[in-house]
């Protein structure tokens, strides 16, 4: 005779759930026996396997009602709903534009993409047009003098669409005010941390080297301002100014971008910042190392003084009197340079040297 303990142990064994179906043999056999007794199924021993399968099938519950047309929205549908706003016409109640004609800062991106297609490059016409509409939204929400599609950087989770902009007069003051507020908050946090260390601990004699200050907005590596977004139609995020320490460290490490601006950059040597700073540093390096243009395409501004102290000048403009060379002349790489040499040297020494 089986003892009560053996029966309980056997029942406990049969009640163990399967990790795949989340069912147990005890409840399943009870359901099968209940179905046989309820229907008085003849020759049930021959139909045991089919009855067992029928019980399992009846317990299956779909994630949604098959008779309903409602389906959970996929990521593609959610992105399409976001990008649908790019194609909406402005409402009739919108404020009229000022009478003063202002030059459109946004170039014809589709025309530029056409020339890239001739060389077998580009992102495709559909994505390029969506990026053009996203850049137009950026122009409508900021006082910008010029806007340029810088490029696209792929990440492990999301990608980055990068826009290079320059503010109009007055817009830079707002930009500098935001940066100063961020610096003041960081200084206050540092002061509070120092006040908390009131213990009389021994101080080391080592003094770290002085920190090289970052270049002012509108000069050197921070001459341009950059905005990024993950997909056309999503919110644009302005990247902070880059510092010399970030550029130096970015040259020593290799990291994949994740697509999350707040992600930590785990590396050696340690990177001073998060992915938003690492992205800005790599943009500065790429911009300094890949700029190319024909000779005399740029010129220094007339009000600039001569380079008497040996420092490079970085204030230059496009030469309106420039005459493009013939195609045969472009084969000679000596005819292809970046910005004026004096202006280019400072930026390249900071980013690459």
């Amino acid at each position: 005779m089986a003892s009560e303990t053996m029966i309980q142990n056997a029942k406990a064994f049969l009640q163990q759930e399967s990790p795949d179906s989340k069912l147990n043999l005890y409840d399943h056999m009870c359901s099968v026996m209940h179905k046989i007794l309820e229907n008085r199924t003849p020759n049930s021993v021959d139909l045991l396997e089919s009855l067992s399968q029928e019980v399992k099938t009846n317990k299956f519950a779909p994630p949604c009602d098959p008779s309903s047309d409602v389906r959970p929205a996929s990521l593609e549908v959610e992105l399409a709903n976001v990008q649908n706003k790019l194609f909406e016409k402005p409402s009739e109640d919108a404020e009229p534009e000022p009478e003063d004609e202002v030059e459109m800062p946004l170039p014809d991106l589709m025309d530029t993409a056409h020339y890239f297609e001739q060389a077998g490059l580009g992102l495709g016409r559909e994505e390029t047009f969506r990026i053009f509409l996203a850049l137009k939204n950026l122009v409508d929400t900021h006082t910008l003098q010029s806007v340029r599609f810088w490029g696209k950087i792929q990440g492990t989770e999301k990608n980055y669409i990068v826009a290079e902009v320059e503010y109009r007069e007055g817009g830079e003051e707002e930009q500098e005010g935001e940066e100063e507020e961020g610096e003041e908050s960081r200084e206050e946090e540092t002061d509070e941390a120092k006040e908390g260390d009131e213990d009389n601990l021994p101080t080391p004699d080592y003094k770290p080297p002085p920190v090289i200050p970052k270049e002012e907005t509108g000069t050197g590596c921070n001459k341009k301002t950059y905005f990024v977004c993950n997909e056309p139609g999503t919110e644009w995020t302005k990247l902070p100014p880059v510092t010399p320490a970030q550029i130096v460290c970015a040259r020593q490490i290799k990291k994949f971008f994740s697509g999350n601006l707040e992600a930590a950059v785990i590396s050696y040597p340690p990177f001073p910042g998060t992915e938003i700073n690492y992205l800005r540093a790599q943009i500065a390096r790429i911009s300094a190392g890949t700029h190319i243009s024909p000779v005399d395409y740029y010129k220094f501004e007339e009000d600039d003084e001569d380079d008497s102290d040996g420092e490079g000048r970085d204030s230059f403009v496009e030469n309106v009197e420039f005459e493009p060379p013939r195609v045969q002349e472009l084969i000679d790489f000596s005819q292809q340079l970046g910005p004026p040499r004096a202006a280019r040297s400072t930026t390249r020494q900071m980013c690459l040297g």
Side-chain angles (χ1 to χ4, degrees):
M1 295 290 296
S3 63
E4 185 69 20
T5 304
M6 295 177 62
I7 296 175
Q8 294 298 331
N9 292 339
K11 183 178 179 180
F13 174 77
L14 296 175
Q15 289 179 338
Q16 293 180 356
E17 286 190 355
S18 171
D20 298 330
S21 61
K22 303 300 181 182
L23 302 175
N24 62 79
L25 182 59
Y26 183 84
D27 293 339
H28 177 68
M29 293 303 298
C30 290
S31 301
V32 173
M33 296 300 295
H34 182 270
K35 185 177 182 63
I36 294 174
L37 295 175
E38 183 180 10
N39 298 331
R40 298 296 179 178
T41 307
N43 301 326
S44 56
V45 65
D46 300 328
L47 304 175
L48 183 61
E49 290 78 5
S50 59
L51 293 174
S52 175
Q53 184 65 32
E54 185 178 352
V55 170
K56 286 184 178 180
T57 304
N58 293 335
K59 288 186 176 180
F60 172 74
C64 58
D65 187 4
S67 62
S68 175
D69 295 334
V70 179
R71 295 290 187 274
S74 61
L75 296 179
E76 291 78 5
V77 174
E78 293 180 356
L79 180 60
N81 293 332
V82 172
Q83 294 182 346
N84 188 39
K85 300 179 182 178
L86 296 175
F87 300 90
E88 295 179 355
K89 295 183 179 179
S91 60
E92 298 179 357
D93 299 336
E95 297 182 359
E97 297 182 357
E99 297 181 359
D100 298 340
E101 294 184 359
V102 180
E103 183 180 357
M104 181 64 176
L106 182 60
D108 189 353
L109 187 59
M110 299 304 298
D111 183 62
T112 305
H114 169 73
Y115 293 104
F116 276 100
E117 287 183 357
Q118 307 307 311
L121 304 174
L123 302 176
R125 296 186 180 182
E126 293 184 2
E127 184 175 4
T128 302
F129 187 69
R130 289 196 293 267
I131 293 175
F132 171 77
L133 296 178
L135 293 176
K136 186 176 182 301
N137 285 350
L138 181 63
V139 173
D140 295 340
T141 54
H142 295 78
T143 56
L144 304 178
Q145 180 179 356
S146 65
V147 180
R148 185 175 74 94
F149 172 52
W150 185 88
K152 180 178 180 180
I153 295 180
Q154 294 182 337
T156 56
E157 300 176 6
K158 298 179 181 179
N159 302 326
Y160 289 120
I161 305 295
V162 185
E164 181 184 84
V165 307
E166 281 187 294
Y167 282 88
R168 295 178 189 169
E169 295 183 0
E172 295 181 357
E173 297 178 358
E174 178 183 355
Q175 177 189 12
E176 293 176 356
E178 295 176 357
E179 296 172 3
E180 290 177 357
E181 290 179 0
E183 292 178 357
E184 290 177 357
S185 61
R186 287 191 293 269
E187 291 177 358
E188 291 177 358
E189 293 177 358
T190 305
D191 295 339
E192 291 177 358
K194 290 181 179 179
E195 292 177 359
D197 299 337
E198 298 179 354
D199 298 336
N200 296 326
L201 300 176
T203 57
D205 297 334
Y206 170 77
K207 294 182 179 180
V211 179
I212 302 176
K214 67 178 182 182
E215 295 175 298
E216 297 181 357
T217 303
T219 60
C221 298
N222 294 320
K223 181 176 180 62
K224 305 286 186 179
T225 305
Y226 295 90
F227 286 81
V228 298
C229 65
N230 295 120
E231 292 289 347
T234 57
E235 184 179 0
W236 288 98
T237 302
K238 184 176 68 175
L239 300 183
V242 66
T243 63
Q246 293 170 352
I247 294 178
V248 171
C249 187
R251 295 177 62 244
Q252 301 174 357
I253 62 177
K254 294 181 180 180
K255 294 287 293 184
F256 286 109
F257 290 101
S258 65
N260 179 13
L261 294 175
E262 302 300 328
V265 180
I266 303 175
S267 63
Y268 183 82
F271 183 80
T274 58
E275 185 164 304
I276 188 173
N277 306 107
Y278 181 62
L279 176 62
R280 180 63 182 86
Q282 296 295 7
I283 289 176
R285 295 186 59 216
I286 296 173
S287 299
T290 59
H291 192 106
I292 186 171
S293 59
V295 177
D296 298 331
Y297 182 81
Y298 292 99
K299 68 175 183 178
F300 291 111
E301 296 183 357
E302 297 179 356
D303 55 352
D304 284 351
E305 299 179 356
D306 295 337
D307 186 13
S308 57
D309 54 356
E311 296 182 358
R313 295 177 296 175
D314 60 356
S315 179
F316 56 89
V317 295
E318 294 185 10
N319 185 7
V320 295
E321 301 177 355
F322 171 75
E323 295 182 1
R326 296 179 299 177
V327 177
Q328 295 297 330
E329 296 178 358
L330 291 176
I331 299 177
D332 184 6
F333 284 95
S334 63
Q335 300 296 324
Q336 302 180 24
L337 299 173
R341 291 184 179 273
R344 190 172 70 252
S345 61
T346 303
T347 303
R348 287 184 61 85
Q349 289 175 2
M350 177 65 69
C351 293
L352 305 176

